[in-house]
Amino acid sequence: MSSIQTSGPSAPGGRAGASGLEQVNSWSRDVRFASGCILMVFATTHFLNHAMGIFGISAMEAVQGWRYWFWHSKPGTVLLYGALIVHPVFALLRVAQRRTFRMPLREVLQIALGVAIPLFLIDHIVATRIQGALFAQDESYHAVLRRLWPSLALSQSILLLLVWSHGVIGLHFTFRTRDAYVRWRDPFLLAAILVPLLALIGFVVAGREARIMALPPELYTTQQVDSFNMHVTWAKRAFFGLVGGFVLFVAVREVRARAVGAITVRFVGHGVRKVVPGFTLLEMFRRFGIPHAALCGGRARCATCRVLVLDGADDLPPPGPNEARLLRRISAGDRVRLACQIRPKHDLQVQILLAARQRGAGPAGALDPDSGIAKKGLTVMVADLRAFTALSQRQLPHELITLLNRFYDEMSQAIAAHGGRIEAIYGDGLMAVFGLETTPGRAGAAAIAAAGDMVRAVEALNREYATALPLPLRIGIGIHGGQAIVGAVENESMGRREITVGETVMIASQLEAATRRLLSDIIVSAETVTATGRSYAGMIAYKIAIKGRDKPVQVYGFGGLPEPAPADKPEDASREKRIAKTEADDTAG
């Protein structure tokens, strides 16, 4: 991407410094994420250990031994407390780099949770790990539960929810732009709900059990009490000092920034703004309420905030590692940059590349892209009435529309009965998708079954309208499975519409067009049939050319209704007989 590497003659020191800052941001983000994952793994094992309290304290302590084997070892201790120090420090550095605190509510919540956690966590760590290390204080579940239940049960429950919510939100917004996350989103949501719920239930059950255990009271020496109070006081002072230093840094930075001359940034379609250097373009969008998209929240994990730099590109530093990698991935053109990664120090003119008008814009102008936008493995069906033009010329308008209403009513029922969804209706045809909530194999089988019901429905309509139709109805159906992009488009005139786009849709459409030439009511790609894991009677193999593909595509045509092959016939032998019958090359595409 040499076109992205700008190299203007002016301000080389500034560009080098900014480039260094981007590289620091890149590795600091990775360190923050890695340390957060370590803390989340610890929290998950800890809370699952709590959940064992449903079966009693003895079960909790049995699992605790396995958990302590790692987290109380030297490597486990270094990892845990290293992450416990590194993560909040780098998180504060990330927040300190912000030049505006106008942000989406989800980011405000994430920061607030992160600040609240130490207020509850410090007492817990001191009372368990530190006191246990200094005075050999019993850290077993029955001893700790007796100290916590019931006087500290509420604060510990709040701590559990704070830690878990902070971690789950962070993981969700980190991975939601990844294609693979679509498959794991529902299990992730289930775990996000069940883990804290079961942990709280186990905590309550075990706490009540610990309270009624016939054990001697636990006595504390004056030295233990003084040690606990001292460590809690110093730890909280350090935390408040860190937060206070952050506030002071931001205040000093703002004072110094206002003493520096402002630069002019022109946003095409959104006016001209005067702003002091230091803001990222994304922060400027938020500060001035300019509608924009930022799916990853400004972490260079998506490209929704990209802009076209019309003027001033030579004064910008070259992209950092994460930005350059993402720009290469999307094959970005010349002068395309990520708004979240550039901090202009000179006058600039930019144009937002993604649509700036979208419902749901927050108070900061942030557009929260639809979480349903994803790339999924789907099965697409395209169906079309044959000879519709000739039919429309011989029917009265009212009769034709009445017939179409009946046709679409029957088609929609057949598709919905097998878990499909109609995406588009265009005159005498429709497009439907299968697999939004199931596996590709089941989606393919459902689409083929729905196609059979649709052919049956057309035959029933022919019988019903036999005396009224000048010629019988015929339908052609093309089915193909593969990766497709799903989402929604909307504007003020047409509202919101769910759409599916991609090569899979194009191939399904060409398969439907091939039904006329091959005299088959239904044509299904071989990939889709293979994915179902089933064999169908009456399949005839063809090879047809597809626009955009170098090699012909193997497909199967059905002259009649698709029925599963008899169980006593081997699948391979059945298919070989059909393949031997005919092969047709559709060069017209």
Side-chain angles (χ1 to χ4, degrees):
M1 285 283 302
S2 59
S3 59
I4 299 174
Q5 304 291 331
T6 56
S7 56
S10 59
R15 289 197 302 275
S19 178
L21 178 62
E22 296 301 330
Q23 294 181 10
V24 170
N25 289 341
S26 175
W27 68 259
S28 67
R29 186 194 72 177
D30 296 338
V31 170
R32 188 173 68 250
F33 174 71
S35 60
C37 287
I38 293 172
L39 295 176
M40 196 60 179
V41 170
F42 173 81
T44 302
T45 58
H46 195 40
F47 297 160
L48 289 176
N49 202 164
H50 285 3
M52 296 303 297
I54 297 174
F55 306 102
I57 292 180
S58 59
M60 295 178 79
E61 293 183 338
V63 175
Q64 185 183 39
W66 290 96
R67 187 166 59 86
Y68 273 16
W69 173 80
F70 178 75
W71 293 113
H72 276 228
S73 66
K74 287 185 178 179
T77 300
V78 170
L79 277 176
L80 176 60
Y81 287 97
L84 196 61
I85 294 172
V86 168
H87 188 72
V89 169
F90 276 78
L92 273 179
L93 289 176
R94 158 74 177 169
V95 176
Q97 289 176 347
R98 292 180 175 273
R99 299 306 296 264
T100 179
F101 290 95
R102 297 189 67 181
M103 63 189 81
L105 181 60
R106 58 179 173 79
E107 294 187 30
V108 175
L109 178 62
Q110 180 80 336
I111 294 173
L113 290 172
V115 172
I117 287 172
L119 300 178
F120 293 87
L121 186 60
I122 288 173
D123 295 67
H124 183 68
I125 292 177
V126 173
T128 53
R129 270 288 180 104
I130 294 179
Q131 293 293 93
L134 294 178
F135 303 101
Q137 193 167 287
D138 191 357
E139 294 183 58
S140 63
Y141 262 107
H142 73 267
V144 175
L145 287 170
R146 289 180 66 198
R147 300 176 201 137
L148 299 178
W149 191 269
S151 58
L152 297 176
L154 178 61
S155 63
Q156 294 302 298
S157 300
I158 293 174
L159 173 60
L160 184 152
L161 294 175
L162 288 175
V163 171
W164 189 252
S165 300
H166 181 77
V168 166
I169 292 173
L171 289 175
H172 171 69
F173 286 106
T174 297
F175 291 116
R176 72 171 182 167
T177 59
R178 311 286 178 87
D179 294 339
Y181 182 59
V182 176
R183 297 192 299 271
W184 295 99
R185 183 172 53 193
D186 291 341
F188 177 78
L189 176 61
L190 182 62
I193 296 173
L194 285 181
V195 170
L197 179 62
L198 295 176
L200 288 174
I201 294 174
F203 176 54
V204 171
V205 172
R208 290 178 175 177
E209 181 183 347
R211 189 180 183 186
I212 61 176
M213 292 178 70
L215 296 173
E218 193 171 25
L219 302 176
Y220 304 102
T221 65
T222 303
Q223 185 180 9
Q224 286 177 298
V225 175
D226 291 343
S227 173
F228 174 80
N229 292 332
M230 179 188 70
H231 285 99
V232 168
T233 300
W234 279 106
K236 289 190 175 180
R237 283 180 179 176
F239 171 70
F240 287 120
L242 193 62
V243 174
F246 161 75
V247 174
L248 181 62
F249 168 78
V250 172
V252 172
R253 184 189 63 190
E254 289 300 314
V255 171
R256 292 186 60 187
R258 295 181 185 281
V260 179
I263 62 173
T264 300
V265 181
R266 182 183 300 276
F267 304 97
V268 176
H270 298 282
V272 179
R273 300 291 191 276
K274 290 283 188 178
V275 63
V276 295
F279 289 85
T280 66
L281 275 179
L282 181 60
E283 289 171 336
M284 295 181 193
F285 295 154
R286 290 172 173 173
R287 179 166 185 172
F288 299 121
I290 298 174
H292 61 279
L295 181 59
C296 69
R299 295 172 176 82
R301 294 192 181 104
C302 71
T304 55
C305 70
R306 62 185 180 271
V307 296
L308 176 64
V309 181
L310 300 175
D311 188 27
D314 292 340
D315 295 324
L316 294 174
N322 290 321
E323 183 185 5
R325 187 183 309 115
L326 189 56
L327 291 174
R328 286 194 299 269
R329 178 184 173 187
I330 64 172
S331 301
D334 188 20
R335 296 176 181 267
V336 173
R337 299 293 300 271
L338 301 185
C340 64
Q341 298 299 303
I342 54 177
R343 299 177 184 271
K345 295 185 177 181
H346 304 275
D347 293 351
L348 199 67
Q349 182 177 3
V350 297
Q351 179 180 351
I352 299 175
L353 292 181
L354 292 189
R357 296 185 63 186
Q358 183 172 339
R359 293 182 182 179
L367 300 179
D368 190 11
D370 193 335
S371 59
I373 297 176
K375 194 174 185 179
K376 298 181 179 181
L378 300 175
T379 299
V380 177
M381 169 196 288
V382 176
D384 191 76
L385 274 176
R386 295 178 181 172
F388 181 75
T389 302
L391 181 66
S392 63
Q393 292 172 348
R394 302 182 187 183
Q395 292 287 100
L396 295 174
H398 179 79
E399 293 176 346
L400 183 66
I401 298 302
T402 301
L403 176 63
L404 282 177
N405 279 325
R406 281 299 312 279
F407 170 75
Y408 284 122
D409 183 52
E410 296 293 336
M411 297 302 102
S412 62
Q413 289 185 47
I415 290 168
H418 293 278
R421 183 180 77 187
I422 293 180
E423 289 279 308
I425 291 177
Y426 40 89
D428 58 340
L430 61 86
M431 185 187 82
V433 295
F434 297 79
L436 293 170
E437 302 294 338
T438 188
T439 62
R442 291 181 178 178
I448 294 173
D453 287 349
M454 292 164 68
V455 172
R456 292 187 185 95
V458 170
E459 292 174 351
L461 287 175
N462 282 329
R463 291 191 295 269
E464 181 180 345
Y465 287 88
T467 59
L469 291 175
L471 65 161
L473 298 177
R474 292 291 301 277
I475 188 173
I477 301 173
I479 299 174
H480 179 64
Q483 293 292 312
I485 298 172
V486 297
V489 294
E490 63 178 320
N491 60 34
E492 295 177 357
S493 60
M494 73 176 187
R496 180 183 178 89
R497 295 185 182 181
E498 304 292 333
I499 64 168
T500 302
V501 296
E503 185 190 41
T504 301
V505 178
M506 179 270 294
I507 294 176
S509 178
Q510 293 194 43
L511 296 188
E512 182 279 319
T515 60
R516 298 173 177 84
R517 295 183 291 275
L518 301 180
L519 301 180
S520 293
D521 292 333
I522 304 169
I523 290 184
V524 186
S525 66
E527 298 174 40
T528 304
V529 174
T530 302
T532 66
R534 304 179 183 182
S535 180
Y536 295 88
M539 292 193 305
I540 303 175
Y542 299 98
K543 287 185 178 180
I544 64 174
I546 296 293
K547 291 180 180 179
R549 288 200 173 186
D550 296 332
K551 297 181 179 179
V553 173
Q554 180 81 39
V555 300
Y556 293 107
F558 294 85
L561 298 176
E563 298 289 350
D568 58 340
K569 291 184 179 180
E571 179 179 348
D572 292 339
S574 175
R575 289 189 182 178
E576 286 298 325
K577 291 179 181 179
R578 300 300 176 185
I579 291 174
K581 285 189 174 182
T582 181
E583 282 192 358
D585 290 328
D586 179 16
T587 56

